[in-house]
Amino acid sequence: MSAATPAGGRIRSAMGLMRSFPAQFWSRLSLQERLALIFVPAAIVAGVVTVLAVVLLGPPFLDFLGANLPLVRFAVAATAILLLTVPTAFVLIYLELKVIARMNLRIGPNRVGPWGIAMSVIHGFKVLSKEDFAPTGADITVFTLAPVVTYMASVMTLLVIPFAPGLIGQDLNIGLLYFFSMGGLTVVGLLMAGWSSFNKYSLLGGLRSAAQIISYEIPLTLSVVGVIILAGTMSMNRIVLAQSGSLLDWFVFKQPLAALIFFIAATAEANRTPFDMTEADSEIVAGFATEYSGMRFGFFFFAEYVNVFIVSALVATVFFGGWTAPFQWPWAYNLNWFNPWSFGFFGWLAIVLTVGYFGTIFFAVFARLFGGREWGLWASMGLGFLFLLVVVAGLVVLAGFIAFDWVAGLVWFMAKTYAFVITFVWMRATLPRVRVDQLMGFAWKWLLPASLLNLFVTATAVVLLNR
Amino acid sequence: MPAHQHAPRTSPARATTRAARPHPQPSADDASARQYSSADDPRVMLDRQVGALFEPIPPYPTRTEREGEFYSLGDGEMFLNVGPHHPATHGVLRLVLKLSGEQIVDVDPVLGYLHRGVEKICENSDYYHVIDQVDPLEYVSSLFQEWAAVLSFEKLMDVQVPRRAEYIRVLSGELLRIASHTLFMGFLALDLGGLTPILYSFIERDEIVEMLAALTGARMLFNYFRVGGVNGDLNHEFMSRLGDWMTRAAKQTEAQAGLLNENEIFVRRMRGVGVLDRATALRYGVTGGNLRASGVPFDLRRAHPYSVYPELDFNIPTRDEGDSLARYLIRVDEVRESIKIVDQCLHNMPDGPVMARLPRLIRPRPGRAWGACEGPRGMLGVYTISDGSDGPFRFRIHDPSFLNLETVPALLPGNLLADTMAVVSSLDPVMGGIDK
């Protein structure tokens, strides 16, 4: 055979090498080389494509954006709000774990990061890395869409919440109405999840959520009508402005009953204890989310916590003055004399180095004094540096608080919102769950008449006083 | 063709698969072929998968009239399996609920997921090992199960237990009763959605369990009582822990009861739910706090006194309502009474030995004996037949949780799904004892 001849053998072996070239070549590479071989060409191609796109499409695209500024504003706001939800949910999850733990005489998460602050991030990774599973018999399309609908419904409500003067997604003139209609969409997602999961617990959870959210939306909406009458507008920004001035201008003092009804109904709307019928773990396992795992469950989870934030933000906005300060700032001070550009680059470098060096040593002394011998030199230096960073960050926020309107507004808004978030967490740690019939009875027999009464009294008073 | 060029690839593997799986040719007269072609419709495939996945309910032809009645669904009704793996069933209890909406029409409790054949194991052991074997039955309050077995053996042997040993038994038993009731309160709240009380319960229980560990050497499965006494006298660590705990026990109990008693949501969910009237309770053979909540002042410690209970001063709390709230409140009252008993035990503790003088190997005369004590859940009884050997010939355990749980089908219908947990939890079943 030709295999015996030298020429044929050479040809055969060359052919074999060529055929096995890619496999052997690849298997002899180390991991770093493989990664480099994948990512370097990819990066080169991506860079070339990006540069080409910018050069070719950039100018016309910029022209287009310049001609459609509202569109830009919308895109930026939507992106910012979408990006806002994840850290918000992370903070809320950690807050809930920690606060409930303290109330239960536990310590709570304390292993991941200092004081366990990375716990929610780890939760996120855990959820991401789980199997994306759908049970047999599930309606896959609806099953997949349900978390998206729920999540988007929560996120879209964030668009009309005024975080600070000028910091609002879109100041609609029907802001409150938009809010309630978008909030009502949540129930569609929950119903979809409950129906498509092919599980009786899910079905019960979905139906419970439908009954509950629809029932509580009526007192929720009716209780705000008094505020709308007083403010004369449905725009969230103008509702906030109507409460500016002092603490006594807040609507909670003009509409105390409405505020109470609103808070209770909002608890039910966010599916929080004691109204967490939809995921009553001791009754219907996990309600609509029973069959969900992985990131689909993660979206429900995020939506729940974003909902808590939104509801707290709405209570703060409508009844507690939103971003307005509770009292007039007693001393007017402006920082206009301070020009950060006057120092120059080397000036700033000198400042940063000096403050960093001496500040670190200053705080390290405290760490050394109070930490005792357990803190070594470098540990106390590190802690001192950390303290310094916190103090500097605090000072920067304080300067911003004094100098800029929107920083002050944001600080006040967040303070008020998180006060209500902690109230929700506190309620969860304290109260047992009500029963379904008690829940519905409370909505229809007590909250609805009370909100109607409130509306009647408010309208009468406004008519009489304006006469 | 040049040598380095390949012949065009004709994937032989794929070709054979194709040949092996020819496209179905439906014909009018072939029934199986028709079925096969209809499977192309995704909806039909779904139905088939689901049908193959879930067995019909029940998976066998109904055997009794009651089963036939239970498993026939009315209009708008459905079955819901609560358990055996469910967050709120206290172990592996399975309740098949027949629901109309959220309202319970009928209930069928299914037991036996935890059956180990403890009675048979005990019959194969000698008398000392029996004490060890019965421990995990009522794992929340295992001393009482030991106590019942030991009582029955002592009747067989006709032993006089030293008074100090009797006082130590009462002392440790009442401590464990407090621990058990405290845990009951926490789990009841947890089943109603309250997160916090359970953790307070466990703090309280941990203190008691730790002090019992100092006394007996184990936290849960004590193996402490012996025929004719107890294994080991009171020691310093136990007494110091007990004294420490007694200074705040009453206050702590009131604080914990206040967490729930004064909670409007809790009271409203418990009041009038699962009412067990006096006649039904007696007919089902319910004992313990569940019976006393229905207005029958039956407590073995007073009705058939054993140990040194006749010398102690305590009340038998009763209530007339018979609902879940009454069952809960009875437990709170019993904790108060138990604290009184512990106090008296400490004051009246006599000196002396803690074990009667007995041979190493126990061989009672042939005979039979019934020993029973009042556990936290009711009458814990043991019936022993001896054939004169060193182990029981027949060993029968009467567990109160089993009889208490039997009332669930009588209590639940008409209530809502959420009440299942309130009612079952208020009966305080321990599945280890029920399934034996």
Side-chain angles (χ1 to χ4, degrees):
Chain A
M1 295 277 287
S2 63
T5 64
R10 215 177 299 132
I11 290 169
R12 175 72 61 85
S13 62
M15 269 177 62
L17 240 184
M18 277 183 70
R19 202 181 298 146
S20 59
F21 171 72
Q24 284 187 13
F25 173 71
W26 190 248
S27 66
R28 282 172 190 165
L29 292 180
S30 69
L31 182 66
Q32 288 88 343
E33 287 166 340
R34 287 183 202 177
L35 287 177
L37 262 183
I38 293 172
F39 285 110
V40 169
I44 291 171
V45 170
V48 168
V49 168
T50 314
V51 168
L52 279 179
V54 167
V55 169
L56 295 180
L57 303 175
F61 186 64
L62 282 180
D63 288 344
F64 172 76
L65 289 185
N68 298 288
L69 271 180
L71 194 69
V72 178
R73 187 190 158 75
F74 172 77
V76 169
T79 315
I81 278 165
L82 263 176
L83 290 180
L84 177 78
T85 53
V86 175
T88 304
F90 278 0
V91 169
L92 256 62
I93 291 167
Y94 174 70
L95 195 74
E96 183 161 273
L97 289 173
K98 209 67 183 173
V99 170
I100 289 188
R102 298 320 302 197
M103 288 177 178
N104 288 349
L105 307 183
R106 291 182 286 126
I107 297 171
N110 65 345
R111 296 284 134 174
V112 200
W115 306 289
I117 48 174
M119 195 65 211
S120 345
V121 183
I122 297 298
H123 266 170
F125 277 123
K126 176 198 75 179
V127 162
L128 263 177
S129 60
K130 278 192 171 183
E131 185 189 353
D132 191 14
F133 170 82
T136 308
D139 190 337
I140 302 287
T141 322
V142 184
F143 187 77
T144 314
L145 277 176
V148 180
V149 171
T150 311
Y151 184 67
M152 286 315 291
S154 326
V155 171
M156 280 160 80
T157 46
L158 269 177
L159 207 64
V160 290
I161 288 177
F163 288 87
L167 261 187
I168 180 170
Q170 197 75 44
D171 188 14
L172 299 177
N173 55 0
I174 51 157
L176 264 178
L177 190 64
Y178 170 86
F179 183 92
F180 289 125
S181 51
M182 281 300 134
L185 271 184
T186 315
V187 72
V188 178
L190 301 189
L191 256 183
M192 283 163 73
W195 173 252
S196 65
S197 290
F198 197 65
N199 181 321
K200 287 169 186 170
Y201 288 118
S202 303
L203 185 63
L204 282 172
L207 291 178
R208 275 184 178 191
S209 74
Q212 172 185 335
I213 292 183
I214 290 169
S215 302
Y216 274 84
E217 218 150 68
I218 297 164
L220 187 74
T221 318
L222 278 179
S223 64
V224 193
V225 175
V227 172
I228 296 174
I229 291 176
L230 287 183
T233 174
M234 280 206 271
S235 150
M236 303 285 265
N237 240 348
R238 268 182 259 160
I239 287 177
V240 172
L241 285 175
Q243 305 175 66
S244 64
S246 77
L247 187 122
L248 294 175
D249 289 323
W250 289 358
F251 280 138
V252 66
F253 297 111
K254 295 175 185 165
Q255 297 269 308
L257 182 62
L260 189 66
I261 295 169
F262 187 86
F263 187 72
I264 293 171
T267 314
E269 191 79 359
N271 289 328
R272 293 289 295 185
T273 315
F275 303 123
D276 55 343
M277 291 294 100
T278 52
E279 49 212 294
D281 50 353
S282 60
E283 298 155 23
I284 50 172
V285 189
F288 59 87
T290 305
E291 293 288 357
Y292 280 87
S293 72
M295 207 49 215
R296 290 177 190 169
F297 175 75
F299 270 112
F300 276 129
F301 205 58
F302 276 162
E304 187 189 326
Y305 283 96
V306 171
N307 258 334
V308 171
F309 177 80
I310 289 169
V311 160
S312 311
L314 198 67
V315 175
T317 305
V318 176
F319 290 103
F320 289 84
W323 43 258
T324 58
F327 44 82
Q328 287 296 331
W329 201 240
W331 61 90
Y333 195 82
N334 76 46
L335 289 175
N336 289 344
W337 54 268
F338 179 77
N339 182 8
W341 308 115
S342 62
F343 293 107
F345 176 74
F346 289 102
W348 271 115
L349 194 67
I351 288 174
V352 166
L353 285 181
T354 320
V355 170
Y357 183 71
F358 287 108
T360 304
I361 290 176
F362 178 75
F363 285 110
V365 167
F366 283 101
R368 191 82 166 155
L369 279 179
F370 295 113
R373 285 186 186 171
E374 291 160 28
W375 289 93
L377 179 66
W378 288 108
S380 34
M381 287 297 266
L383 200 69
F385 186 62
L386 209 69
F387 275 140
L388 178 70
L389 284 187
V390 170
V391 168
V392 167
L395 285 176
V396 167
V397 170
L398 188 66
F401 188 82
I402 295 170
F404 300 105
D405 231 9
W406 66 271
V407 177
L410 195 62
V411 168
W412 283 118
F413 175 81
M414 285 295 173
K416 289 170 185 175
T417 304
Y418 274 90
F420 287 106
V421 166
I422 288 181
T423 313
F424 280 123
V425 174
W426 180 18
M427 278 161 63
R428 176 153 185 199
T430 316
L431 296 176
R433 194 178 295 122
V434 301
R435 212 166 51 205
V436 186
D437 56 332
Q438 292 168 345
L439 177 91
M440 306 300 277
F442 188 59
W444 293 101
K445 289 180 198 158
W446 294 100
L447 289 187
L448 183 62
S451 55
L452 282 173
L453 177 75
N454 178 65
L455 175 59
F456 177 73
V457 170
T458 311
T460 317
V462 166
V463 167
L464 287 181
L465 290 179
N466 283 357
R467 181 172 285 171
Chain B
M1 196 165 68
H4 63 269
Q5 267 189 1
H6 293 295
R9 245 192 206 161
T10 58
S11 160
R14 201 179 288 172
T16 47
T17 355
R18 225 177 250 159
R21 252 194 306 130
H23 197 72
Q25 300 291 327
S27 62
D29 52 316
D30 189 356
S32 65
R34 254 207 314 279
Q35 260 187 344
Y36 186 78
S37 65
S38 76
D40 290 347
D41 184 351
R43 280 170 304 173
V44 177
M45 280 176 72
L46 183 73
D47 283 348
R48 287 175 143 216
Q49 282 169 359
V50 170
L53 208 69
F54 296 102
E55 289 179 342
I57 304 172
Y60 45 78
T62 53
R63 292 171 297 201
T64 59
E65 200 176 318
R66 157 77 185 144
E67 253 184 23
E69 180 208 326
F70 181 78
Y71 283 114
S72 55
L73 281 178
D75 191 26
E77 292 176 347
M78 72 168 180
F79 290 118
L80 188 70
N81 254 315
V82 179
H85 299 291
H86 187 276
T89 49
H90 294 244
V92 280
L93 169 65
R94 175 175 158 222
L95 294 170
V96 184
L97 302 179
K98 195 199 263 184
L99 293 178
S100 167
E102 287 228 9
Q103 200 162 34
I104 298 167
V105 180
D106 210 344
V107 187
D108 185 19
V110 184
L111 307 176
Y113 290 95
L114 210 56
H115 177 69
R116 293 93 86 199
V118 172
E119 289 170 347
K120 194 65 202 167
I121 296 174
C122 289
E123 284 162 17
N124 292 333
S125 324
D126 64 26
Y127 286 103
Y128 284 126
H129 288 158
V130 166
I131 299 168
D132 198 0
Q133 293 294 344
V134 295
D135 255 344
L137 285 176
E138 280 237 349
Y139 46 79
V140 182
S141 52
S142 49
L143 277 182
F144 290 94
Q145 191 65 61
E146 288 176 18
W147 203 344
V150 164
L151 273 175
S152 130
F153 298 161
E154 279 161 1
K155 278 186 189 170
L156 276 178
M157 300 276 295
D158 208 10
V159 192
Q160 186 64 40
V161 181
R163 272 173 57 77
R164 187 174 173 83
E166 290 285 23
Y167 265 99
I168 293 176
R169 282 183 185 178
V170 172
L171 175 61
S172 52
E174 294 301 328
L175 282 175
L176 200 58
R177 190 192 305 278
I178 295 170
S180 169
H181 283 344
T182 315
L183 207 59
F184 160 79
M185 295 174 208
F187 273 114
L188 183 57
L190 188 69
D191 285 349
L192 296 185
L195 292 176
T196 305
I198 181 70
L199 288 135
Y200 286 64
S201 294
F202 265 108
I203 291 172
E204 180 96 352
R205 178 175 180 269
D206 240 39
E207 287 184 28
I208 294 174
V209 157
E210 284 294 337
M211 81 176 72
L212 285 176
L215 179 66
T216 68
R219 295 180 86 246
M220 256 177 101
L221 311 178
F222 300 103
N223 193 12
Y224 180 56
F225 290 1
R226 293 285 180 273
V227 182
V230 292
N231 179 24
D233 204 346
L234 302 178
N235 56 32
H236 177 73
E237 193 191 343
F238 171 74
M239 291 306 283
S240 73
R241 276 177 184 271
L242 179 58
D244 191 24
W245 177 76
M246 280 297 280
T247 55
R248 56 175 188 275
K251 213 173 122 196
Q252 214 161 321
T253 309
E254 296 306 323
Q256 203 194 352
L259 262 185
L260 293 176
N261 288 355
E262 293 160 22
N263 191 318
E264 185 68 17
I265 298 175
F266 176 79
V267 172
R268 276 185 186 241
R269 280 203 58 180
M270 300 294 286
R271 186 180 288 147
V273 170
V275 179
L276 181 64
D277 63 80
R278 192 189 162 105
T280 318
L282 288 172
R283 190 155 55 81
Y284 275 93
V286 173
T287 49
N290 301 333
L291 182 62
R292 293 193 285 278
S294 301
V296 185
F298 176 78
D299 189 321
L300 276 184
R301 292 175 293 178
R302 282 279 184 255
H304 302 283
Y306 56 96
S307 196
V308 288
Y309 279 115
E311 299 172 16
L312 299 170
D313 170 36
F314 62 97
N315 300 323
I316 306 295
T318 50
R319 280 178 183 269
D320 293 330
E321 298 91 358
D323 56 357
S324 301
L325 185 66
R327 287 194 280 274
Y328 160 74
L329 290 173
I330 280 286
R331 260 82 173 197
V332 178
D333 289 343
E334 278 186 15
V335 169
R336 295 184 184 127
E337 295 301 320
S338 288
I339 293 176
K340 262 164 68 181
I341 296 177
V342 170
D343 200 36
Q344 290 172 50
C345 282
L346 287 176
H347 279 99
N348 304 342
M349 182 69 69
D351 277 338
V354 294
M355 266 302 276
R357 294 185 66 81
L358 282 173
R360 281 280 170 90
L361 192 64
I362 299 180
R363 275 215 176 99
R365 283 188 302 278
R368 40 189 74 193
W370 162 259
C373 68
E374 179 75 22
R377 285 162 197 80
M379 181 175 68
L380 270 160
V382 161
Y383 185 64
T384 318
I385 301 178
S386 161
D387 59 352
S389 66
D390 57 355
F393 170 73
R394 179 78 182 95
F395 190 78
R396 170 90 179 101
I397 299 163
H398 170 99
D399 194 276
S401 302
F402 183 75
L403 293 177
N404 293 348
L405 196 71
E406 270 191 344
T407 58
V408 163
L411 296 185
L412 279 185
N415 286 322
L416 293 175
L417 173 60
D419 292 330
T420 317
M421 286 73 210
V423 171
V424 172
S425 192
S426 76
L427 290 172
D428 195 14
V430 171
M431 294 311 289
I434 290 171
D435 284 344
K436 290 200 266 289

